[in-house]
């Protein structure tokens, strides 16, 4: 069972966060203050959307979102580990005006068939941004940094991505994964999921189920935190198979570094190897070159080859 960490006080949670980030890179977050009613509303409106006829859903197809990388993709539209995932979904991010100069930035595509989804999604992204910044305060403290280290730097103007996934029911022995094995790209992911289960996490002792806990988010750290800490904290592989016989909904929210900024190694930690020993040259072999945006767009190219052509041009 993954650890359950109450983040009402990030400072009090820091030691447990440190342990969880070292051992599994995954934990449950409680004490986050997100009203259950908002989660219930999001769940209900999302079900309404996925139940629409496919032609209706395709009215906000991702290709219409262009370089902003927003909208709906049908089952098989995303290739997580080189093979099509058994899921359909909606991609959202920070709501910005049309014509934004950066790729992956711009207005969201909201479904005309479920008008209430718009406000629900925008308010959910707002609330989750605050929760993620609090978890990052705990992570900063757990690394011996100032509580505001991230909020004042990498995430002062964060890259925020939010997805809603529907994994259709499939027979237990069906080949293929809902989401193939992968790690997440950025700093932090907060996942809400319905009652159906299916998420698995790769721990040092093998694959572990991460079933839903009432009112908790599953939190995991992404590639950027692994790189920033020189491997001290783990960006852990995970995957999804929906064997419930019912449609499964999940709601991953990602808080990532500023798109335009380089992601320099953290002071001190980055100069240690994954065992915590100081490297002879004090430099990190995992230090990241280029901006977070460069890293993210390269990743997008792999999972959405078609779309990537739009993102580049
Ligand atoms: C992801 C992810 C898990 C899920 O979107 O990166 O791992 O349960 N999602 O949908
Ligand atoms: Ni993931």
């Amino acid at each position: 069972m993954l650890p359950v960490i109450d983040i009402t006080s990030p400072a009090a949670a820091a030691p447990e966060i440190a342990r969880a980030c070292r051992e599994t890179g995954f934990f449950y977050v409680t004490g986050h203050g997100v009203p259950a009613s908002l989660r219930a509303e999001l769940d209900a409106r999302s079900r309404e959307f996925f139940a629409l006829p496919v032609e209706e859903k395709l009215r906000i197809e991702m290709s219409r979102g262009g370089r902003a990388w927003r909208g709906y993709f049908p089952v098989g539209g995303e290739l997580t580990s080189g093979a099509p995932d058994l899921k359909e979904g909606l991609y959202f991010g920070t709501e910005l005006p049309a014509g934004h100069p950066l790729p992956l930035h711009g207005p969201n595509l909201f479904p005309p068939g479920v008008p209430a989804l718009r406000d629900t999604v925008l308010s959910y992204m707002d609330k989750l941004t605050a929760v993620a910044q609090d978890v990052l305060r705990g992570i900063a403290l757990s690394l011996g940094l100032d509580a505001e280290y991230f909020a004042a730097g990498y995430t002062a103007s964060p890259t925020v991505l939010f997805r809603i996934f529907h994994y259709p029911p499939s027979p237990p022995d069906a080949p293929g994964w809902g989401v193939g094995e992968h790690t997440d790209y950025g700093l932090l992911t907060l996942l809400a999921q319905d009652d159906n289960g299916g998420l698995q996490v790769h721990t040092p002792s093998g694959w572990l189920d991460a079933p839903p806990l009432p009112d908790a988010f599953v939190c995991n750290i992404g590639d950027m935190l692994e790189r920033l800490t020189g491997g001290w904290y783990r960006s852990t592989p995970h995957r999804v198979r929906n064997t419930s016989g019912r449609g499964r909904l999940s709601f991953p929210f990602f808080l990532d570094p500023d798109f335009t900024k380089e992601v320099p190694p953290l002071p001190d930690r980055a100069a240690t190897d994954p065992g915590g020993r100081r490297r002879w040259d004090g430099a990190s072999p995992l230090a990241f070159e280029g901006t977070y945006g460069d890293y993210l767009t390269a990743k997008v190219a792999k999972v959405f080859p078609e779309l990537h052509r739009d993102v580049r041009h």
Side-chain angles (χ1 to χ4, degrees):
M1 165 91 183
L2 296 171
V4 180
I5 303 181
D6 184 327
I7 54 131
T8 310
S9 156
E16 289 169 75
I17 291 178
R19 201 170 324 122
C21 291
R22 280 289 284 158
E23 285 171 6
T24 48
F26 264 84
F27 50 95
Y28 291 95
V29 165
T30 59
H32 47 69
V34 177
S37 55
L38 180 59
R39 283 177 62 164
E41 175 71 13
L42 184 64
D43 186 278
R45 298 288 84 84
S46 305
R47 280 178 205 281
E48 231 177 276
F49 173 77
F50 290 113
L52 293 171
V54 71
E55 315 81 69
E56 181 67 23
K57 293 189 267 194
L58 288 170
R59 285 175 68 188
I60 56 162
E61 197 178 2
M62 274 183 113
S63 56
R64 299 182 187 219
R67 290 160 42 92
W69 195 37
R70 307 290 165 90
Y72 170 74
F73 69 89
V75 174
E78 179 167 2
L79 316 167
T80 295
S81 3
D85 292 333
L86 298 174
K87 63 169 164 42
E88 58 182 334
L90 286 165
Y91 273 61
F92 302 102
T94 308
E95 177 73 355
L96 292 164
H100 196 285
L102 289 174
L104 313 188
H105 288 62
N108 287 297
L109 299 181
F110 291 107
V114 188
L117 193 64
R118 180 178 196 279
D119 283 356
T120 307
V121 163
L122 292 177
S123 125
Y124 188 81
M125 287 197 293
D126 238 40
K127 292 269 189 312
L128 271 279
T129 302
V131 176
Q133 297 281 26
D134 264 350
V135 176
L136 282 177
R137 287 187 178 94
I139 289 180
L141 292 167
S142 81
L143 290 164
L145 301 167
D146 187 84
E148 298 306 313
Y149 184 85
F150 294 105
Y154 306 117
T155 61
S157 174
T159 304
V160 170
L161 303 170
F162 173 53
R163 300 166 186 174
I164 304 178
F165 290 146
H166 172 233
Y167 301 81
S170 60
D173 53 355
W177 292 93
V179 179
E181 177 178 346
H182 68 283
T183 57
D184 294 348
Y185 315 148
L187 288 171
L188 206 69
T189 306
L190 290 168
L191 177 85
Q193 51 178 331
D194 72 7
D195 293 337
N196 291 311
L199 175 64
Q200 300 177 347
V201 175
H202 197 212
T203 70
S205 46
W207 287 97
L208 180 71
D209 286 332
L213 284 191
D215 209 30
F217 295 106
V218 177
C219 180
N220 64 287
I221 57 172
D223 296 346
M224 286 301 120
L225 263 176
E226 176 163 327
R227 283 165 180 268
L228 289 175
T229 60
W232 179 249
Y233 282 179
R234 298 159 47 88
S235 169
T236 302
H238 51 284
R239 63 188 185 189
V240 173
R241 180 169 269 165
N242 175 24
T243 54
S244 65
R246 295 177 293 272
R248 170 185 190 260
L249 286 190
S250 75
F251 307 87
F253 170 91
F254 304 88
L255 193 84
D256 293 357
D258 189 321
F259 195 85
T260 60
K261 295 262 163 58
E262 307 243 337
V263 186
L266 297 176
D268 197 35
R269 242 331 143 205
T272 57
D273 69 16
R277 287 171 295 271
R278 195 160 181 85
R279 278 172 50 86
W280 65 275
D281 58 356
S284 169
L286 300 172
F288 177 62
E289 309 247 336
T291 63
Y292 179 64
D294 295 336
Y295 186 77
L296 188 58
T297 24
K299 286 285 190 177
V300 173
K302 291 216 179 74
V303 293
F304 288 106
E306 283 296 316
L307 181 75
H308 184 59
R309 252 164 264 144
D310 299 337
V311 169
R312 268 181 322 187
H313 299 123

